[in-house]
Amino acid sequence: MNTYVSKLFGLEGKVAVLTGAGGYLIGEFSRAFAKAGVSVVVADLRQDDTEKVVEQIKSDGGTAIPHVLDVHEKSQFKCTLDAAVDTYGQVDVLVNGAGINAPTPFLDIPAEEWDEVLTVQLRGTMFGCQVFGEYMLERGAGSILNISSASAGPPLSKAFTYSVAKAGIKNLTQNLAREWGESGVRVNALRPGFFPTDWSKKNFLSKERTDAILGHTPMNRFGHPAELVGAVLWVNSDAAGFVTGSEIAVDGGFSCMTI
């Protein structure tokens, strides 16, 4: 790689913790960080999934450890931070990626489902920002990337609770960027467009809905997880040193479409 580009965007030697890292998108980010020379903590509630991602990273010559994390509990974030520091000596990057969704019609949403989606998405992100943010503030350096969504506003149909949670994550990201602007700690959000999983295809993507989404996406297709990687690596690199409080859209033009 060109030396200038490597120095500008290089992440080698940094340490990243990713929550929800056993999943479709965050697993891709975990593998990408490792390929960039980052030591990765793959954190997720599902132990089998964390171990699978770590095995993939190691088979490609990368460095990673698995860690079981239940985002319902703040204490578990502290354990994850301790594990990262004990293993690698520091944490430079946090990606708050844990999340769930539900397609329940609004009038039928039970309180338990509403609370669970908000807890995993929004409270989990808040806990991550609290625990790792405090650590980074003490160090005077760090980058936090939260996961927003095309549904953060205007909201998408069928994803009522999810949309509320993502709007909250966007607001929290901007609030913390304002609070920590002079601290050396940057807080940004990634705003993916449509990158369907098998679950979302089954629960959200009827032919009519797919046609509506693609008709509102200038590139007229869904995204591939690898197409998010460039933005993720860039925003956590020193090249983005003046970027904080941003919601970075990678959506095929969905957010700019009108008529």
Side-chain angles (χ1 to χ4, degrees), residues 31 34-35 37-40 54 56-64 88:
R31 292 184 288 270
K35 289 176 183 177
V38 176
S39 298
V40 180
V54 168
Q56 292 167 341
I57 288 172
K58 289 184 175 180
S59 69
D60 284 338
T63 301
Y88 297 124

Side-chain angles (χ1 to χ4, degrees), residues 16-32:
V17 174
L18 297 93
T19 74
Y24 182 61
L25 295 183
I26 313 303
E28 182 74 12
F29 302 168
S30 299
R31 292 184 288 270

Side-chain angles (χ1 to χ4, degrees), residues 73-98:
E73 303 294 335
K74 184 176 179 179
S75 61
Q76 296 223 357
F77 283 90
K78 294 180 179 178
C79 290
T80 304
L81 173 60
D82 289 343
V85 173
D86 289 346
T87 304
Y88 297 124
Q90 65 192 53
V91 174
D92 303 287
V93 175
L94 170 68
V95 177
N96 277 311

Side-chain angles (χ1 to χ4, degrees), residues 4-250:
Y4 173 73
V5 173
S6 178
K7 184 177 179 180
L8 183 63
F9 296 102
L11 289 162
E12 191 166 0
K14 292 185 181 294
V15 177
V17 174
L18 297 93
T19 74
Y24 182 61
L25 295 183
I26 313 303
E28 182 74 12
F29 302 168
S30 299
R31 292 184 288 270
F33 272 120
K35 289 176 183 177
V38 176
S39 298
V40 180
V41 178
V42 178
D44 199 296
L45 180 62
R46 302 158 297 186
Q47 183 173 357
D48 289 348
D49 290 341
T50 66
E51 292 175 351
K52 180 180 178 180
V53 173
V54 168
E55 182 179 338
Q56 292 167 341
I57 288 172
K58 289 184 175 180
S59 69
D60 284 338
T63 301
I65 60 169
H67 189 83
V68 175
L69 168 67
D70 183 348
V71 300
H72 291 75
E73 303 294 335
K74 184 176 179 179
S75 61
Q76 296 223 357
F77 283 90
K78 294 180 179 178
C79 290
T80 304
L81 173 60
D82 289 343
V85 173
D86 289 346
T87 304
Y88 297 124
Q90 65 192 53
V91 174
D92 303 287
V93 175
L94 170 68
V95 177
N96 277 311
I100 58 174
N101 198 352
T104 309
F106 180 73
L107 293 178
D108 298 327
I109 297 172
E112 295 79 10
E113 179 182 291
W114 176 270
D115 291 344
E116 182 65 3
V117 173
L118 288 178
T119 294
V120 174
Q121 291 275 4
L122 186 51
R123 192 170 78 181
T125 297
M126 184 267 287
F127 282 158
C129 290
Q130 281 187 328
V131 171
F132 284 83
E134 182 177 28
Y135 164 82
M136 291 175 178
L137 289 168
E138 290 174 356
R139 289 187 73 217
S143 175
I144 296 174
L145 181 64
N146 298 324
I147 307 300
S148 180
S149 166
S151 69
L156 297 173
S157 62
K158 292 189 72 172
F160 291 97
T161 316
Y162 180 87
S163 295
V164 170
K166 291 305 188 182
I169 288 172
K170 176 182 177 181
N171 185 277
L172 176 64
T173 297
Q174 293 172 330
N175 260 300
L176 294 180
R178 184 201 66 239
E179 290 290 308
W180 298 345
E182 297 182 25
S183 68
V185 179
R186 299 185 297 109
V187 188
N188 292 289
L190 182 69
R191 180 187 174 98
F194 292 85
F195 294 78
T197 64
D198 290 339
W199 183 90
S200 62
K201 290 175 185 177
K202 178 180 178 181
N203 290 278
F204 280 92
L205 293 180
S206 63
K207 182 183 185 306
E208 293 76 16
R209 188 175 176 81
T210 297
D211 289 345
I213 291 168
L214 297 183
H216 196 87
T217 303
M219 294 185 74
N220 195 35
R221 66 173 176 85
F222 293 124
H224 305 295
E227 293 175 309
L228 292 165
V229 164
V232 171
L233 297 183
W234 161 72
V235 79
N236 288 295
S237 74
D238 292 342
F242 199 55
V243 180
T244 194
S246 293
E247 188 190 40
I248 300 155
V250 184

